[in-house]
Amino acid sequence: MSNITCRSSNCLMPNPFPLLLLLLLICMLSSPLHFAQSLPNKPQFGSNVVLIGDAKFTADNSCVQLTHPEISSPSSGFLLQKKPIKLFTLHSKSRRPISFSTDFTFSISPHDGDGLAFLLVPRSFPSRFSGESFGVLRENRFLGVEFDTLVDDNLGDTNANHVGVDVSSLVSAETGNVSSLNLVLNSGVKLHAWIDYDSSSKRIEIRLSKYGSSRPYSPLLAHRVDLGEMWKNEEVLVGLGSTSGNSMQISNVYSWKFRTRIVPEWLHSRPLDPQTFSHSEEKLAHKKKTCALGVLWGLVFMTGCGALLALIVLFLWALFENSSETVLTIPSNFKARPQEFRYEKINVVVGDNLTDGKN
């Protein structure tokens, strides 16, 4: 038996560095963001987005492919704004509601699948991300705008070509038929979607058109929802998600912009009149028509004033000319003399005889 003398207490304890390194590695692997990938700085997406799940850039970097059925079935991917937002902001010790607008271009391949959805989810969403139902299967609160290409009788889907607003449930609170726009969501054609939320009226509007077409005047779908009351002062994440289900459906996103704006306090303090908001676009058109008529009447008024001013000037000029007199000065020694006339003899021919004019 060998005698090994240890004069230091450190000999009795293992080196803590490898253990700490192992714990750090385990934490990294178990972190909910271990599968998040930051996007390179792309103008069509910005620098504030990450990829989650099966989402990835295509080989030519032209778009983000949200689903990849060859990897797993079902496949699910998410394009997420990594900076959370609040639906209220503090300003001068008062809360002001936040409105937002977003638009994105996308395409869905011609297969049966869940399609694509725009989502507002809790900040802790990445830790509960699942590969089914746009990744929100484990969420109790979320707002979704789904572009659905599958009929699910359990969810009350009307057809396989609709847009729906989902409020904390995959059963849509309201739907709009995309076929009414002569469009098919899963045709593989690139489409353009606009989603606008106005916090003063608590209304969300969805518009859709073929890529390259102008923004539609009327929304395909509008629904009233109070997101401020739903989330209060919590931070939420915004993203685009897709699930292929058991099909080979692929959803691509080519561009995405998201913007927030603060509603003025004077506007928010007014009581909500749903009828007023529902006819806001008609009132705007009427306002433009009234403005055009105002300009026309203004031109007529200015022309009339100009004509009246010209008449006044002419009248004053005529009055001034008539009031002026011409004075003729005659010298005092001037005497008028009778005009002297000279008589001359005139010969008149009468017939063949010449006379001297006396007869």
Side-chain angles (χ1 to χ4, degrees):
M1 183 175 182
S2 59
N3 294 326
I4 300 177
T5 303
C6 184
R7 298 183 179 182
S8 174
S9 60
N10 292 336
C11 295
L12 302 176
M13 300 186 65
N15 189 350
F17 181 74
L19 181 60
L20 291 175
L21 185 61
L22 179 62
L23 290 175
L24 180 61
L25 181 61
I26 292 175
C27 290
M28 291 177 64
L29 291 176
S30 60
S31 171
L33 294 178
H34 76 276
F35 49 96
Q37 174 190 356
S38 294
L39 270 71
N41 189 11
K42 296 286 185 180
Q44 66 269 34
F45 294 103
S47 58
N48 187 37
V49 290
V50 294
L51 302 180
I52 293 180
D54 296 334
K56 67 174 184 177
F57 258 104
T58 55
D60 58 357
N61 289 331
S62 62
C63 63
V64 173
Q65 182 178 306
L66 295 178
T67 52
H68 193 56
E70 290 81 3
I71 294 179
S72 60
S73 185
S75 175
S76 184
F78 222 89
L79 179 61
L80 192 70
Q81 294 273 342
K82 60 184 178 182
K83 184 178 180 180
I85 65 168
K86 287 186 176 182
L87 276 305
F88 281 101
T89 183
L90 293 177
H91 184 79
S92 301
K93 298 182 180 180
S94 63
R95 295 198 312 169
R96 289 191 178 182
I98 298 293
S99 299
F100 66 80
S101 297
T102 184
D103 68 281
F104 51 91
T105 56
F106 68 99
S107 67
I108 303 174
S109 66
H111 300 90
D112 293 332
D114 291 339
L116 180 143
F118 168 79
L119 292 165
L120 266 70
V121 292
R123 187 174 184 177
S124 57
F125 167 77
S127 63
R128 296 188 295 272
F129 178 79
S130 65
E132 298 178 284
S133 303
F134 305 115
V136 296
L137 193 61
R138 303 174 186 173
E139 298 297 333
N140 295 322
R141 282 184 306 157
F142 64 88
L143 174 77
V145 177
E146 61 176 26
F147 298 81
D148 201 347
T149 60
L150 182 67
V151 175
D152 191 335
D153 296 331
N154 296 326
L155 300 178
D157 292 337
T158 55
N159 57 36
N161 191 40
H162 68 271
V163 173
V165 176
D166 302 344
V167 183
S168 301
S169 172
L170 291 175
V171 178
S172 298
E174 198 161 350
T175 61
N177 188 3
V178 178
S179 300
S180 64
L181 303 177
N182 294 322
L183 297 174
V184 178
L185 290 173
N186 60 344
S187 63
V189 175
K190 190 186 295 187
L191 302 175
H192 197 163
W194 294 264
I195 301 174
D196 302 284
Y197 174 71
D198 183 77
S199 57
S200 62
S201 61
K202 302 176 179 60
R203 175 180 167 111
I204 189 168
E205 295 183 345
I206 300 96
R207 292 172 170 82
L208 183 68
S209 72
K210 189 176 180 179
Y211 177 73
S213 301
S214 58
R215 172 188 167 102
Y217 182 78
S218 301
L220 169 65
L221 177 62
H223 182 71
R224 191 175 184 275
V225 56
D226 190 350
L227 295 182
E229 180 64 24
M230 179 178 177
W231 298 105
K232 300 188 183 300
N233 204 39
E234 296 181 45
E235 291 184 327
V236 296
L237 295 173
V238 182
L240 298 173
S242 180
T243 305
S244 64
N246 294 320
S247 74
M248 299 296 291
Q249 187 179 84
I250 297 176
S251 298
N252 293 327
V253 179
Y254 302 89
S255 66
W256 181 29
K257 295 179 182 178
F258 182 82
R259 300 164 295 278
T260 60
R261 64 184 184 278
I262 300 175
V263 176
E265 189 173 1
W266 62 267
L267 180 61
H268 180 65
S269 60
R270 291 184 176 182
L272 176 65
D273 184 0
Q275 295 297 327
T276 300
F277 188 86
S278 63
H279 298 290
S280 59
E281 294 179 346
E282 289 80 357
K283 287 187 175 182
L284 180 60
H286 178 70
K287 184 177 180 181
K288 290 181 179 180
K289 183 178 179 180
T290 304
C291 183
L293 289 176
V295 172
L296 179 61
W297 281 115
L299 291 175
V300 172
F301 178 76
M302 291 177 63
T303 303
C305 289
L308 181 61
L309 182 61
L311 288 174
I312 292 174
V313 170
L314 289 175
F315 175 77
L316 292 176
W317 178 79
L319 186 64
F320 177 78
E321 285 294 324
N322 292 334
S323 63
S324 61
E325 296 180 356
T326 303
V327 179
L328 178 64
T329 304
I330 302 175
S332 59
N333 58 354
F334 175 81
K335 294 182 179 180
R337 294 180 180 180
Q339 189 70 272
E340 295 180 356
F341 296 93
R342 295 178 63 185
Y343 296 92
E344 294 182 359
K345 184 179 179 180
I346 301 175
N347 297 325
V348 180
V349 179
V350 179
D352 295 332
N353 298 321
L354 177 66
T355 64
D356 56 1
K358 293 180 179 182
N359 294 325

